Coordinates of all heavy atoms in Angstrom, one line a residue:
M1 N 0.9 -1.2 0.0 CA 0.0 -0.1 0.0 C 0.9 1.3 0.0 O 1.7 1.4 0.8 CB -0.9 0.0 1.2 CG -1.8 1.2 1.4 SD -2.8 0.9 2.8 CE -3.8 2.3 2.6
R2 N 0.6 2.2 -0.9 CA 1.4 3.4 -1.0 C 0.9 4.3 0.2 O -0.2 4.5 0.4 CB 1.2 4.0 -2.4 CG 1.7 3.2 -3.5 CD 1.6 3.9 -4.7 NE 2.0 3.0 -5.8 CZ 3.2 2.9 -6.2 NH1 4.2 3.6 -5.7 NH2 3.5 2.1 -7.3
K3 N 1.9 4.9 0.7 CA 1.6 6.0 1.7 C 2.1 7.3 1.3 O 3.0 7.6 0.4 CB 2.3 5.6 3.0 CG 1.9 4.3 3.6 CD 2.5 3.9 4.8 CE 2.0 2.5 5.3 NZ 2.6 2.1 6.5
T4 N 1.5 8.4 1.8 CA 1.9 9.7 1.4 C 2.5 10.5 2.5 O 1.9 10.4 3.6 CB 0.6 10.4 0.9 OG1 -0.1 9.6 -0.1 CG2 0.8 11.8 0.3
L5 N 3.5 11.3 2.2 CA 4.1 12.2 3.1 C 3.5 13.6 2.9 O 2.7 13.8 1.9 CB 5.5 12.4 2.9 CG 6.5 11.1 3.1 CD1 7.9 11.4 2.6 CD2 6.4 10.8 4.6
R6 N 3.8 14.5 3.8 CA 3.3 15.8 3.5 C 3.9 16.4 2.3 O 5.0 16.1 1.9 CB 3.8 16.8 4.7 CG 2.8 16.5 6.0 CD 3.2 17.6 7.1 NE 4.1 16.9 7.8 CZ 4.8 17.6 8.8 NH1 4.6 18.7 9.1 NH2 5.7 16.9 9.6
G7 N 3.2 17.1 1.6 CA 3.7 17.7 0.3 C 3.3 16.9 -0.8 O 3.6 17.2 -2.0
G8 N 2.5 15.8 -0.6 CA 2.1 14.9 -1.8 C 3.1 13.9 -2.3 O 2.7 13.2 -3.2
T9 N 4.1 13.7 -1.6 CA 5.1 12.7 -2.0 C 4.6 11.3 -1.6 O 4.2 11.1 -0.4 CB 6.5 12.9 -1.4 OG1 6.9 14.3 -1.7 CG2 7.4 11.9 -2.0
T10 N 4.6 10.4 -2.5 CA 4.1 9.0 -2.2 C 5.3 8.1 -2.1 O 6.3 8.3 -2.8 CB 3.1 8.5 -3.1 OG1 3.6 8.5 -4.4 CG2 1.7 9.3 -3.1
Y11 N 5.2 7.1 -1.3 CA 6.4 6.1 -1.3 C 5.9 4.7 -1.0 O 4.7 4.5 -0.6 CB 7.3 6.5 -0.2 CG 6.8 6.4 1.2 CD1 7.0 5.2 1.9 CD2 6.1 7.5 1.8 CE1 6.6 5.2 3.2 CE2 5.7 7.3 3.1 CZ 5.9 6.2 3.8 OH 5.4 6.1 5.1
H12 N 6.6 3.7 -1.4 CA 6.3 2.3 -1.1 C 7.7 1.6 -1.1 O 8.0 1.0 -2.1 CB 5.4 1.8 -2.4 CG 4.9 0.4 -2.1 ND1 4.0 0.1 -1.3 CD2 5.2 -0.7 -2.9 CE1 3.8 -1.2 -1.4 NE2 4.5 -1.7 -2.4
L13 N 8.4 1.6 0.1 CA 9.6 1.2 0.2 C 9.6 -0.1 1.1 O 9.1 0.0 2.1 CB 10.6 2.2 0.8 CG 10.7 3.6 0.1 CD1 11.5 4.6 0.9 CD2 11.4 3.3 -1.4
K14 N 10.3 -1.1 0.6 CA 10.4 -2.3 1.5 C 11.8 -2.8 1.6 O 12.6 -2.6 0.7 CB 9.4 -3.4 0.7 CG 8.0 -3.2 0.8 CD 7.3 -4.3 0.2 CE 5.8 -3.9 0.0 NZ 5.0 -4.9 -0.6
M15 N 12.0 -3.5 2.7 CA 13.3 -4.0 2.9 C 13.2 -5.5 3.3 O 12.4 -5.8 4.3 CB 13.9 -3.2 3.9 CG 15.3 -3.7 4.5 SD 16.2 -2.5 5.7 CE 15.0 -1.6 6.5
H16 N 13.9 -6.4 2.7 CA 13.8 -7.9 3.0 C 15.1 -8.1 3.6 O 16.2 -8.0 3.0 CB 13.7 -8.6 1.7 CG 13.6 -10.1 2.1 ND1 14.4 -10.9 1.3 CD2 13.0 -10.9 2.9 CE1 14.3 -12.2 1.8 NE2 13.5 -12.2 2.7
L17 N 15.1 -8.5 4.9 CA 16.3 -8.8 5.7 C 16.3 -10.3 6.0 O 15.4 -10.9 6.3 CB 16.3 -8.1 7.1 CG 16.3 -6.6 6.9 CD1 16.1 -6.0 8.3 CD2 17.6 -6.2 6.4
V18 N 17.6 -10.9 5.9 CA 17.7 -12.3 6.3 C 18.9 -12.3 7.2 O 20.0 -11.9 6.7 CB 18.0 -13.2 5.1 CG1 18.3 -14.6 5.5 CG2 16.9 -13.0 4.0
F19 N 18.7 -12.8 8.5 CA 19.7 -12.9 9.4 C 20.1 -14.5 9.6 O 19.1 -15.2 9.8 CB 19.4 -12.3 10.8 CG 19.5 -10.7 10.6 CD1 18.7 -10.1 11.6 CD2 20.2 -10.1 9.8 CE1 18.6 -8.7 11.6 CE2 20.2 -8.7 9.7 CZ 19.4 -8.1 10.7
V20 N 21.3 -14.8 9.5 CA 21.7 -16.2 9.6 C 22.5 -16.4 10.9 O 23.4 -15.5 11.2 CB 22.6 -16.5 8.4 CG1 23.2 -18.0 8.4 CG2 21.8 -16.2 7.1
T21 N 22.4 -17.5 11.5 CA 23.2 -17.8 12.7 C 24.6 -18.1 12.3 O 24.8 -18.5 11.2 CB 22.6 -19.0 13.6 OG1 22.7 -20.2 12.6 CG2 21.2 -18.7 14.0
K22 N 25.5 -17.9 13.2 CA 26.9 -18.1 13.0 C 27.2 -19.5 12.7 O 26.7 -20.4 13.4 CB 27.8 -17.7 14.2 CG 29.2 -17.5 14.0 CD 30.0 -17.0 15.2 CE 31.4 -16.8 14.9 NZ 32.1 -16.1 16.0
Y23 N 27.9 -19.7 11.6 CA 28.2 -21.2 11.1 C 27.0 -21.9 10.8 O 26.9 -23.3 10.7 CB 29.0 -21.9 12.1 CG 30.3 -21.2 12.6 CD1 30.6 -20.9 13.8 CD2 31.3 -20.8 11.6 CE1 31.7 -20.2 14.2 CE2 32.4 -20.2 11.9 CZ 32.6 -19.9 13.3 OH 33.8 -19.2 13.6
R24 N 25.9 -21.2 10.6 CA 24.6 -21.9 10.2 C 24.2 -22.9 11.3 O 23.5 -23.9 10.9 CB 24.5 -22.5 8.8 CG 24.8 -21.6 7.7 CD 23.7 -20.7 7.4 NE 22.9 -21.2 6.3 CZ 21.9 -20.6 5.8 NH1 21.4 -19.4 6.2 NH2 21.2 -21.1 4.8
R25 N 24.5 -22.6 12.5 CA 24.2 -23.5 13.6 C 22.6 -23.5 13.8 O 22.0 -22.4 13.7 CB 24.8 -23.2 14.9 CG 26.3 -23.3 14.9 CD 26.7 -23.1 16.4 NE 28.2 -23.4 16.4 CZ 29.1 -22.5 16.9 NH1 28.7 -21.4 17.5 NH2 30.4 -22.9 16.9
Q26 N 22.1 -24.6 14.0 CA 20.5 -24.7 14.2 C 20.2 -24.4 15.6 O 19.9 -25.3 16.5 CB 20.1 -26.1 13.8 CG 20.4 -26.4 12.3 CD 19.7 -27.8 11.8 OE1 19.2 -28.5 12.7 NE2 19.8 -28.0 10.6
A27 N 20.1 -23.1 15.9 CA 20.0 -22.6 17.3 C 18.6 -22.0 17.4 O 18.3 -21.7 18.6 CB 21.1 -21.6 17.6
I28 N 17.8 -21.8 16.5 CA 16.5 -21.1 16.6 C 15.4 -22.2 16.8 O 15.1 -22.9 15.7 CB 16.3 -20.2 15.3 CG1 17.4 -19.2 15.2 CG2 14.9 -19.5 15.5 CD1 17.3 -18.3 14.0
T29 N 14.6 -22.1 17.8 CA 13.6 -23.1 18.1 C 12.3 -22.3 17.8 O 12.3 -21.1 17.6 CB 13.6 -23.6 19.4 OG1 13.5 -22.5 20.4 CG2 14.9 -24.4 19.8
R30 N 11.2 -23.0 17.8 CA 9.8 -22.4 17.6 C 9.5 -21.2 18.7 O 9.0 -20.2 18.4 CB 8.8 -23.4 17.5 CG 8.8 -24.2 16.3 CD 8.4 -23.3 15.0 NE 8.8 -24.0 13.8 CZ 9.0 -23.3 12.7 NH1 8.7 -22.0 12.6 NH2 9.4 -23.9 11.6
P31 N 9.7 -21.6 19.9 CA 9.5 -20.6 21.0 C 10.3 -19.4 20.8 O 9.9 -18.2 21.0 CB 9.8 -21.2 22.3 CG 9.7 -22.7 22.0 CD 10.1 -23.0 20.6
I32 N 11.6 -19.5 20.4 CA 12.5 -18.4 20.3 C 12.0 -17.6 19.0 O 12.0 -16.3 19.0 CB 14.0 -18.9 20.0 CG1 14.5 -19.4 21.3 CG2 14.9 -17.7 19.4 CD1 15.9 -20.1 21.1
L33 N 11.6 -18.3 18.0 CA 11.0 -17.6 16.8 C 9.8 -16.8 17.0 O 9.7 -15.8 16.6 CB 10.8 -18.7 15.7 CG 10.5 -18.1 14.3 CD1 11.7 -17.5 13.7 CD2 10.1 -19.4 13.4
S34 N 9.0 -17.3 17.9 CA 7.7 -16.5 18.2 C 8.2 -15.2 19.1 O 7.5 -14.2 18.9 CB 6.8 -17.3 19.0 OG 7.3 -17.8 20.1
R35 N 9.1 -15.3 20.0 CA 9.6 -14.3 20.8 C 10.3 -13.2 19.8 O 10.1 -12.0 20.1 CB 10.6 -14.7 21.8 CG 10.0 -15.4 23.0 CD 10.9 -15.8 24.0 NE 11.5 -14.7 24.6 CZ 12.7 -14.6 25.3 NH1 13.3 -15.8 25.4 NH2 13.1 -13.5 25.7
F36 N 11.0 -13.7 18.8 CA 11.6 -12.8 17.8 C 10.6 -12.0 17.2 O 10.6 -10.7 17.0 CB 12.3 -13.6 16.8 CG 13.9 -13.8 17.0 CD1 14.4 -14.9 16.6 CD2 14.6 -12.8 17.6 CE1 15.8 -15.0 16.8 CE2 15.9 -13.0 17.8 CZ 16.5 -14.2 17.4
E37 N 9.5 -12.6 16.8 CA 8.4 -12.0 16.1 C 7.7 -10.8 16.8 O 7.6 -9.8 16.3 CB 7.3 -13.0 15.5 CG 6.3 -12.3 14.7 CD 5.3 -13.4 14.1 OE1 5.4 -14.6 14.5 OE2 4.5 -12.9 13.2
L38 N 7.4 -11.1 18.1 CA 6.9 -10.0 19.1 C 7.8 -8.9 19.1 O 7.5 -7.8 19.2 CB 6.5 -10.7 20.4 CG 5.5 -11.6 20.3 CD1 5.2 -12.3 21.7 CD2 4.1 -10.9 20.0
F39 N 9.2 -9.3 19.4 CA 10.2 -8.4 19.6 C 10.3 -7.3 18.4 O 10.4 -6.2 18.4 CB 11.4 -9.0 19.9 CG 12.7 -8.1 20.0 CD1 12.9 -7.3 21.2 CD2 13.5 -8.0 19.0 CE1 13.8 -6.4 21.2 CE2 14.7 -7.0 19.2 CZ 14.8 -6.3 20.3
F40 N 10.4 -8.0 17.1 CA 10.5 -7.1 15.9 C 9.3 -6.4 15.6 O 9.3 -5.2 15.1 CB 10.9 -8.0 14.8 CG 12.3 -8.4 14.9 CD1 12.7 -9.8 14.9 CD2 13.4 -7.5 15.0 CE1 14.0 -10.2 15.0 CE2 14.7 -7.8 15.0 CZ 15.0 -9.3 15.2
K41 N 8.1 -6.8 16.0 CA 6.8 -6.0 15.8 C 6.9 -4.8 16.7 O 6.7 -3.6 16.3 CB 5.6 -6.9 16.2 CG 5.1 -7.8 15.1 CD 3.9 -8.6 15.5 CE 3.6 -9.5 14.5 NZ 2.3 -10.3 14.8
E42 N 7.3 -5.0 18.0 CA 7.4 -3.8 18.9 C 8.6 -2.8 18.4 O 8.4 -1.6 18.5 CB 7.9 -4.3 20.3 CG 6.8 -5.0 21.0 CD 7.3 -5.7 22.3 OE1 8.4 -5.6 22.7 OE2 6.4 -6.4 22.8
T43 N 9.7 -3.4 17.9 CA 10.7 -2.5 17.3 C 10.3 -1.7 16.2 O 10.6 -0.5 16.0 CB 11.9 -3.3 17.0 OG1 12.3 -4.1 18.1 CG2 13.1 -2.5 16.6
C44 N 9.5 -2.3 15.3 CA 9.0 -1.6 14.2 C 8.0 -0.5 14.5 O 8.1 0.5 14.0 CB 8.3 -2.6 13.1 SG 9.4 -3.6 12.2
L45 N 7.2 -0.8 15.5 CA 6.3 0.3 16.1 C 7.2 1.5 16.5 O 6.8 2.7 16.3 CB 5.4 -0.2 17.1 CG 4.3 -1.1 16.6 CD1 3.5 -1.7 17.8 CD2 3.3 -0.4 15.8
K46 N 8.2 1.2 17.3 CA 9.0 2.2 17.9 C 9.7 3.0 16.7 O 9.9 4.3 16.9 CB 10.0 1.7 18.8 CG 10.9 2.7 19.5 CD 11.7 2.1 20.6 CE 12.3 0.8 20.2 NZ 13.3 0.4 21.4
W47 N 10.1 2.5 15.7 CA 10.8 3.0 14.6 C 10.0 3.5 13.4 O 10.5 3.9 12.3 CB 12.0 2.2 14.1 CG 13.1 1.9 15.0 CD1 13.3 2.6 16.1 CD2 14.1 0.9 15.0 NE1 14.4 2.2 16.8 CE2 14.9 1.1 16.0 CE3 14.3 -0.1 14.0 CZ2 16.0 0.3 16.2 CZ3 15.4 -0.9 14.2 CH2 16.3 -0.7 15.3
E48 N 8.7 3.4 13.6 CA 7.7 4.0 12.7 C 7.8 3.2 11.3 O 7.8 3.9 10.3 CB 7.7 5.4 12.5 CG 7.4 6.2 13.8 CD 7.6 7.7 13.5 OE1 7.9 8.2 12.5 OE2 7.6 8.3 14.5
C49 N 8.0 1.8 11.3 CA 8.0 1.1 10.1 C 6.9 0.0 10.3 O 6.4 -0.1 11.5 CB 9.3 0.6 9.8 SG 10.1 -0.4 11.0
E50 N 6.6 -0.9 9.3 CA 5.7 -1.9 9.4 C 6.2 -3.3 9.1 O 6.9 -3.4 8.0 CB 4.5 -1.5 8.5 CG 3.4 -2.5 8.6 CD 2.2 -2.1 7.7 OE1 2.3 -1.0 7.1 OE2 1.3 -2.9 7.6
L51 N 6.1 -4.2 9.9 CA 6.5 -5.5 9.7 C 5.5 -6.3 8.8 O 4.4 -6.5 9.3 CB 6.7 -6.3 11.0 CG 7.2 -7.7 10.9 CD1 8.6 -7.8 10.3 CD2 7.3 -8.4 12.3
L52 N 5.7 -6.6 7.6 CA 4.8 -7.1 6.7 C 4.7 -8.6 6.7 O 3.7 -9.2 6.7 CB 5.1 -6.7 5.2 CG 5.0 -5.2 5.0 CD1 5.5 -4.8 3.6 CD2 3.7 -4.5 5.3
E53 N 5.9 -9.3 6.8 CA 6.0 -10.7 6.9 C 7.1 -11.1 7.7 O 8.2 -10.4 7.8 CB 6.3 -11.2 5.5 CG 5.1 -11.2 4.5 CD 5.4 -11.8 3.2 OE1 6.3 -12.7 3.1 OE2 4.8 -11.4 2.3
F54 N 7.0 -12.2 8.3 CA 8.1 -12.7 9.3 C 8.1 -14.2 9.3 O 7.0 -14.8 9.4 CB 7.9 -12.2 10.8 CG 8.9 -12.7 11.8 CD1 10.1 -12.0 11.8 CD2 8.8 -13.9 12.3 CE1 11.1 -12.4 12.7 CE2 9.7 -14.3 13.3 CZ 10.9 -13.6 13.5
N55 N 9.2 -14.9 9.1 CA 9.3 -16.3 9.1 C 10.8 -16.6 9.4 O 11.7 -15.8 9.3 CB 8.9 -16.7 7.8 CG 8.6 -18.2 7.7 OD1 8.7 -19.0 8.7 ND2 8.0 -18.8 6.6
G56 N 11.0 -18.0 9.8 CA 12.3 -18.4 10.2 C 12.4 -19.9 10.1 O 11.4 -20.6 10.1
F57 N 13.6 -20.2 10.2 CA 13.9 -21.7 10.3 C 14.9 -21.9 11.4 O 15.2 -21.0 12.1 CB 14.4 -22.1 9.0 CG 13.4 -22.1 7.8 CD1 13.4 -21.0 7.1 CD2 12.3 -22.9 7.7 CE1 12.5 -20.8 6.0 CE2 11.4 -22.9 6.8 CZ 11.5 -21.7 5.9
F58 N 15.5 -23.1 11.5 CA 16.4 -23.4 12.6 C 17.7 -22.6 12.6 O 18.4 -22.4 13.6 CB 16.7 -24.8 12.6 CG 15.5 -25.7 12.8 CD1 15.0 -26.6 11.9 CD2 14.9 -25.7 14.2 CE1 13.9 -27.3 12.2 CE2 13.8 -26.4 14.3 CZ 13.3 -27.3 13.4
D59 N 18.1 -22.1 11.3 CA 19.5 -21.4 11.2 C 19.3 -20.0 10.7 O 20.4 -19.4 10.4 CB 20.3 -22.2 10.4 CG 19.9 -22.5 9.0 OD1 18.8 -22.2 8.7 OD2 20.6 -23.2 8.2
H60 N 18.1 -19.5 10.3 CA 17.9 -18.2 9.8 C 16.6 -17.6 10.0 O 15.7 -18.3 10.3 CB 18.4 -18.1 8.3 CG 17.5 -18.8 7.5 ND1 17.6 -20.2 7.2 CD2 16.6 -18.4 6.5 CE1 16.7 -20.6 6.3 NE2 16.1 -19.5 5.9
V61 N 16.5 -16.3 9.9 CA 15.2 -15.6 10.1 C 15.1 -14.6 8.9 O 15.9 -13.9 8.5 CB 15.1 -14.8 11.4 CG1 14.0 -14.0 11.5 CG2 15.4 -15.8 12.6
H62 N 13.8 -14.6 8.3 CA 13.4 -13.5 7.3 C 12.4 -12.7 7.8 O 11.5 -13.0 8.5 CB 12.7 -14.4 6.1 CG 13.6 -15.2 5.3 ND1 14.1 -14.8 4.1 CD2 13.9 -16.6 5.5 CE1 14.9 -15.9 3.6 NE2 14.7 -16.9 4.4
W63 N 12.6 -11.4 7.4 CA 11.4 -10.5 7.6 C 11.4 -9.4 6.5 O 12.4 -9.0 6.0 CB 11.3 -10.0 9.0 CG 12.4 -9.0 9.6 CD1 12.4 -7.7 9.4 CD2 13.5 -9.5 10.3 NE1 13.5 -7.2 10.1 CE2 14.2 -8.2 10.7 CE3 14.0 -10.7 10.7 CZ2 15.4 -8.3 11.4 CZ3 15.1 -10.7 11.4 CH2 15.8 -9.5 11.7
L64 N 10.2 -8.9 6.2 CA 9.9 -7.9 5.1 C 9.3 -6.8 5.9 O 8.4 -6.9 6.6 CB 9.0 -8.5 4.2 CG 8.6 -7.5 3.0 CD1 9.9 -7.3 2.1 CD2 7.5 -8.2 2.1
I65 N 9.9 -5.6 5.7 CA 9.6 -4.3 6.4 C 9.3 -3.2 5.4 O 10.0 -3.1 4.4 CB 10.7 -3.9 7.3 CG1 11.1 -5.0 8.3 CG2 10.4 -2.6 8.0 CD1 12.3 -4.8 9.1
E66 N 8.2 -2.6 5.7 CA 7.9 -1.4 4.9 C 8.3 -0.2 5.8 O 8.0 -0.1 6.9 CB 6.4 -1.3 4.5 CG 6.2 -0.1 3.7 CD 4.7 0.0 3.1 OE1 3.9 -0.8 3.6 OE2 4.6 0.6 2.1
Y67 N 9.2 0.7 5.2 CA 9.7 1.8 6.0 C 9.6 3.2 5.3 O 9.3 3.3 4.3 CB 11.3 1.5 6.3 CG 12.1 1.6 5.0 CD1 12.9 2.7 4.8 CD2 12.3 0.4 4.1 CE1 13.7 2.7 3.7 CE2 13.1 0.5 3.2 CZ 13.8 1.6 2.9 OH 14.7 1.7 1.9
N68 N 9.8 4.2 6.1 CA 9.6 5.6 5.6 C 10.9 6.1 4.9 O 12.0 5.8 5.4 CB 9.3 6.4 7.0 CG 8.8 7.7 6.5 OD1 9.2 8.4 5.7 ND2 7.8 8.0 7.3
P69 N 10.7 6.9 3.9 CA 12.0 7.3 3.2 C 12.8 8.4 4.1 O 13.9 8.5 3.7 CB 11.4 8.1 2.0 CG 10.0 8.3 2.3 CD 9.5 7.3 3.2
R70 N 12.1 8.8 5.1 CA 13.0 9.7 6.0 C 14.1 9.0 6.6 O 15.2 9.6 7.0 CB 12.1 10.3 7.1 CG 11.1 11.4 6.5 CD 10.2 11.9 7.6 NE 9.4 10.8 8.1 CZ 8.7 10.8 9.1 NH1 8.7 11.9 9.8 NH2 8.0 9.8 9.4
D71 N 13.9 7.6 6.9 CA 14.9 6.8 7.4 C 15.9 6.3 6.4 O 15.5 5.8 5.3 CB 14.3 5.7 8.3 CG 13.5 6.2 9.3 OD1 13.7 7.2 9.9 OD2 12.4 5.4 9.5
K72 N 17.1 6.3 6.7 CA 18.2 5.8 5.6 C 18.0 4.3 5.7 O 18.0 3.6 6.7 CB 19.6 6.2 6.0 CG 19.7 7.8 5.9 CD 21.1 8.2 6.1 CE 21.2 9.7 6.0 NZ 22.5 10.1 6.3
Y73 N 18.1 3.8 4.5 CA 18.0 2.3 4.3 C 19.1 1.5 5.1 O 18.8 0.6 5.8 CB 18.0 1.8 2.8 CG 18.1 0.4 2.6 CD1 17.0 -0.4 2.7 CD2 19.3 -0.2 2.2 CE1 17.0 -1.7 2.5 CE2 19.3 -1.6 1.9 CZ 18.2 -2.3 2.1 OH 18.2 -3.7 1.8
L74 N 20.3 1.8 4.9 CA 21.4 1.1 5.5 C 21.4 1.3 7.0 O 21.7 0.3 7.8 CB 22.8 1.6 5.0 CG 23.1 1.3 3.5 CD1 24.3 1.7 3.0 CD2 23.0 -0.2 3.4
R75 N 21.0 2.5 7.4 CA 21.0 2.7 9.0 C 19.9 1.8 9.6 O 20.1 1.2 10.7 CB 20.7 4.2 9.3 CG 20.7 4.4 10.8 CD 20.2 5.8 11.0 NE 18.6 5.7 10.8 CZ 17.8 6.6 11.3 NH1 18.1 7.5 12.2 NH2 16.5 6.4 11.1
G76 N 18.8 1.5 8.9 CA 17.7 0.7 9.4 C 18.2 -0.7 9.5 O 18.0 -1.5 10.5
A77 N 18.9 -1.2 8.4 CA 19.4 -2.6 8.5 C 20.4 -2.8 9.5 O 20.3 -3.8 10.3 CB 20.0 -2.9 7.1
N78 N 21.2 -1.8 9.8 CA 22.3 -1.9 10.8 C 21.7 -1.8 12.2 O 22.0 -2.6 13.1 CB 23.3 -0.8 10.7 CG 24.3 -1.1 9.6 OD1 24.5 -2.3 9.2 ND2 24.8 -0.1 9.0
N79 N 20.6 -1.0 12.3 CA 19.9 -1.0 13.6 C 19.2 -2.2 14.0 O 19.2 -2.7 15.1 CB 18.9 0.2 13.6 CG 19.5 1.5 13.8 OD1 20.7 1.6 14.1 ND2 18.8 2.5 13.4
F80 N 18.6 -2.9 12.9 CA 17.9 -4.2 13.2 C 18.9 -5.3 13.7 O 18.7 -6.1 14.4 CB 17.1 -4.6 12.1 CG 15.7 -4.1 12.0 CD1 15.3 -3.0 11.1 CD2 14.8 -4.6 12.9 CE1 14.1 -2.6 11.1 CE2 13.6 -4.1 12.9 CZ 13.1 -3.0 12.0
K81 N 20.1 -5.2 13.0 CA 21.1 -6.2 13.2 C 21.6 -6.0 14.7 O 21.9 -6.9 15.4 CB 22.3 -6.1 12.3 CG 23.3 -7.1 12.4 CD 24.3 -6.9 11.4 CE 25.5 -8.0 11.6 NZ 26.6 -7.8 10.6
T82 N 21.8 -4.8 15.1 CA 22.3 -4.5 16.5 C 21.3 -4.8 17.5 O 21.6 -5.5 18.5 CB 22.6 -3.0 16.5 OG1 23.6 -2.7 15.6 CG2 23.2 -2.6 18.0
V83 N 20.0 -4.4 17.2 CA 19.0 -4.7 18.3 C 18.7 -6.3 18.4 O 18.5 -6.8 19.4 CB 17.7 -4.1 17.8 CG1 16.5 -4.5 18.7 CG2 17.8 -2.5 18.0
S84 N 18.8 -7.0 17.3 CA 18.6 -8.4 17.3 C 19.7 -9.1 18.0 O 19.4 -10.1 18.7 CB 18.3 -9.0 15.9 OG 19.5 -8.8 15.2
S85 N 20.9 -8.7 17.8 CA 22.0 -9.4 18.4 C 22.0 -9.2 20.0 O 22.3 -10.1 20.8 CB 23.4 -9.0 17.9 OG 23.6 -7.6 18.3
R86 N 21.6 -7.9 20.4 CA 21.4 -7.7 21.8 C 20.3 -8.6 22.4 O 20.4 -9.0 23.5 CB 21.1 -6.3 22.0 CG 22.2 -5.3 21.9 CD 21.9 -3.9 22.2 NE 23.0 -3.0 21.8 CZ 23.0 -1.7 21.6 NH1 21.8 -1.2 21.8 NH2 24.0 -1.0 21.4
F87 N 19.2 -8.8 21.7 CA 18.0 -9.5 22.1 C 18.5 -11.0 22.3 O 18.2 -11.5 23.2 CB 17.0 -9.5 21.0 CG 15.8 -10.3 21.4 CD1 14.9 -10.0 22.5 CD2 15.6 -11.4 20.6 CE1 13.8 -10.7 22.8 CE2 14.4 -12.2 21.1 CZ 13.6 -11.8 22.0
I88 N 19.2 -11.4 21.4 CA 19.8 -12.8 21.4 C 20.6 -13.1 22.6 O 20.7 -14.1 23.3 CB 20.5 -13.3 20.1 CG1 19.5 -13.4 19.0 CG2 21.2 -14.6 20.3 CD1 20.1 -13.4 17.6
S89 N 21.6 -12.0 22.9 CA 22.5 -12.2 24.0 C 21.8 -12.3 25.3 O 22.4 -12.9 26.1 CB 23.5 -11.0 24.0 OG 24.1 -10.9 22.8
K90 N 20.7 -11.6 25.4 CA 20.0 -11.7 26.7 C 19.5 -13.1 26.9 O 19.2 -13.6 27.9 CB 18.7 -10.7 26.7 CG 19.1 -9.2 26.8 CD 17.9 -8.4 26.8 CE 18.3 -6.9 26.9 NZ 17.2 -6.1 26.9

């Protein structure tokens, strides 16, 4: 769905992120995956983006995010990587 900024500018930007465990170790279980999903939904709300799809397997996680053009693409990807590694460490 296209969204409009002030001034009439429309945008439809999506980011597909895939995070893989180190050495492709099978460390992600179903309970961990469901906690990841809740965590990333909350993170997206805080950063004013929308989590469109989320899925994962034992060794990687996929998610599709729609984000605002005011946020830089690379900054957003790095922020998600940082936040997710901190979440895993806990």
Side-chain angles (χ1 to χ4, degrees):
M1 179 177 182
R2 295 184 187 273
K3 296 183 181 177
T4 306
L5 293 174
R6 281 187 270 174
T9 305
T10 59
Y11 67 93
H12 186 67
L13 302 171
K14 293 182 182 177
M15 177 173 23
H16 177 226
L17 297 170
V18 180
F19 289 153
V20 179
T21 59
K22 191 172 185 176
Y23 306 118
R24 297 287 261 188
R25 290 189 179 130
Q26 296 188 355
I28 301 172
T29 61
R30 288 290 162 202
I32 290 173
L33 192 61
S34 63
R35 287 183 61 204
F36 267 146
E37 186 172 9
L38 290 173
F39 176 75
F40 287 119
K41 282 181 182 178
E42 291 172 3
T43 304
C44 283
L45 286 174
K46 184 170 42 173
W47 290 346
E48 298 177 5
C49 58
E50 184 179 352
L51 182 64
L52 301 175
E53 292 182 25
F54 181 87
N55 199 351
F57 298 99
F58 297 113
D59 60 353
H60 66 281
V61 177
H62 291 264
W63 65 89
L64 182 65
I65 299 167
E66 184 171 13
Y67 66 100
N68 195 315
R70 290 177 293 172
D71 300 327
K72 294 182 181 176
Y73 174 75
L74 292 176
R75 187 189 69 151
N78 286 334
N79 284 345
F80 273 108
K81 185 176 178 184
T82 302
V83 169
S84 65
S85 69
R86 286 182 186 162
F87 178 73
I88 292 168
S89 297
K90 288 181 183 179

